[in-house]
Amino acid sequence: MPRPSEPTRARIVQAASALFYNEGIRRVSVDEVAAKAGLTKRTLYYHFKSKDDLVAAYLAARDQPNLALFRTWFAEAEGGLSAKVEAIFKNLARSARHPKWKGCGFLRTSAELANMPGHPAIRIGAAHKKKFEDWLRATFAEHGVADPLKLARQILLLLDGSFAVVLLHRDASYMETASEAARTLIETALAKPGRKRG
Amino acid sequence: MPRPSEPTRARIVQAASALFYNEGIRRVSVDEVAAKAGLTKRTLYYHFKSKDDLVAAYLAARDQPNLALFRTWFAEAEGGLSAKVEAIFKNLARSARHPKWKGCGFLRTSAELANMPGHPAIRIGAAHKKKFEDWLRATFAEHGVADPLKLARQILLLLDGSFAVVLLHRDASYMETASEAARTLIETALAKPGRKRG
DNA sequence: TTGTGTATATTCACTGGTTAGTATACATAC
DNA sequence: GTATGTATACTAACCAGTGAATATACACAA
């Protein structure tokens, strides 16, 4: 069945995502991914030129859905700016209590491949975090924050710190601590003079 | 030369540390560690019962020196509480600009071995971070912070967030952003009523 | 409608290399 | 002569990537 190429590729990425996220990049062999996708390794190598390519596709597939989720949590939360940001941490805490949760796939991949600085997957991870940071910066700017970039980076640090710490201790309550810290930083930033939102 | 057993073991841990930190746990083979230590794999297995055991020893050896470094940076800094905490971030930023820097070995190991929750190395990493948190908590309590544990965890989140973000973007300036956030959180905590230090 | 060429998609079987861990023997010190 | 420590040589499994062959769908010609 030559024609339906796209579903095959998507199925491989889906299988790779589950395995790479759950077990780690180097722990998972290309054979395992192919088996999980229900095809042979040779077929996988028809769609992806190397394992590194597959790893990059795994993270690329997570980029937009992840960002959309954060934006949804923010948009659907009641209250002011800090309450909306806190909603992200609260929802993340709920996710983190799920037994299959294993931290942030982007950060874990960058940690595992730290010896390969230019790796395509790391570039995709960096771009993903930059997009999140930029969305935060724009949002803060709309809300009249004086230095929106600085605040966006501070929140990002708390967020990624949460991922790391909660993964290490398996204690999601750190996300609520991060949430409180975020509120303090946002309120402090709002107290300083800045442009009002339009 | 049977007698000098301790130097041999220490040499193995030293070789393992350099390789595991620079290349990652699963990337480095036991043969490589043995070769770097200048002995055979069989000798290594005389001193360590498994690779997991060796990984745990790698992190255990980093525990005390790492904590001592943080305490030194804090103690030798001029100024008040927030200035002393900021000194940790500033010194870390300097370390992070070194080309061989590759983040926090404890966090990277926990990320790489996230599929093995009870792994001895992860337990050692968790204990290490708890010790740091506890030292911060005690220090903040001495300085009259009303909720020293909460502030300690907030600072820890910024610190570990810095490790993750700086590793991903290879941009140490995030550590200075974290430093500013830490100052805001500390000043906010100090502004609330609490016991004075003795 | 039927035959045929071609790009697409898939499989089997394989290579060369690596890996954690071990069986066995040997050496040195006390 | 026995504990301790080191080395040689091995196993059995795994792993990223490839060579060669094959199957299907579709375009186009007869």
Side-chain angles (χ1 to χ4, degrees), chain A residues 41-71:
Chain A
K41 180 166 57 173
R42 199 63 185 82
T43 300
L44 189 153
Y45 272 102
Y46 176 81
H47 292 274
F48 299 91
K49 96 176 203 301
S50 67
K51 183 179 180 180
D52 288 340
D53 197 27
L54 182 60
V55 175
Y58 146 58
L59 289 188
R62 294 195 157 225
D63 178 46
Q64 289 302 329
N66 241 348
L67 292 170
L69 194 58
F70 287 145
R71 278 192 281 251

Side-chain angles (χ1 to χ4, degrees), chain B residues 28-96:
Chain B
V28 172
S29 70
V30 177
D31 295 79
E32 285 176 276
V33 175
K36 178 137 189 165
L39 33 78
T40 62
K41 180 165 56 172
R42 197 59 188 83
T43 300
L44 188 152
Y45 273 102
Y46 177 81
H47 292 274
F48 299 90
K49 95 176 202 300
S50 67
K51 184 179 179 181
D52 288 341
D53 197 27
L54 182 59
V55 176
Y58 145 58
L59 289 187
R62 293 197 156 223
D63 178 47
Q64 288 303 328
N66 241 348
L67 292 171
L69 194 58
F70 288 145
R71 279 192 282 251
T72 300
W73 285 341
F74 180 92
E76 290 182 352
E78 306 278 329
L81 181 60
S82 59
K84 282 169 158 297
V85 170
E86 284 195 87
I88 294 176
F89 287 94
K90 298 280 169 53
N91 277 285
L92 223 40
R94 193 164 38 77
S95 304

Side-chain angles (χ1 to χ4, degrees), chain A residues 13-28:
Chain A
V13 172
Q14 200 170 358
S17 288
L19 289 169
F20 286 151
Y21 179 76
N22 286 318
E23 316 270 350
I25 305 299
R26 292 205 254 242
R27 174 65 194 271
V28 172

Side-chain angles (χ1 to χ4, degrees), chain A residues 176-189:
Chain A
E176 275 124 32
T177 306
S179 184
E180 284 187 66
R183 185 178 48 207
T184 300
L185 293 173
I186 292 167
E187 286 172 357
T188 301

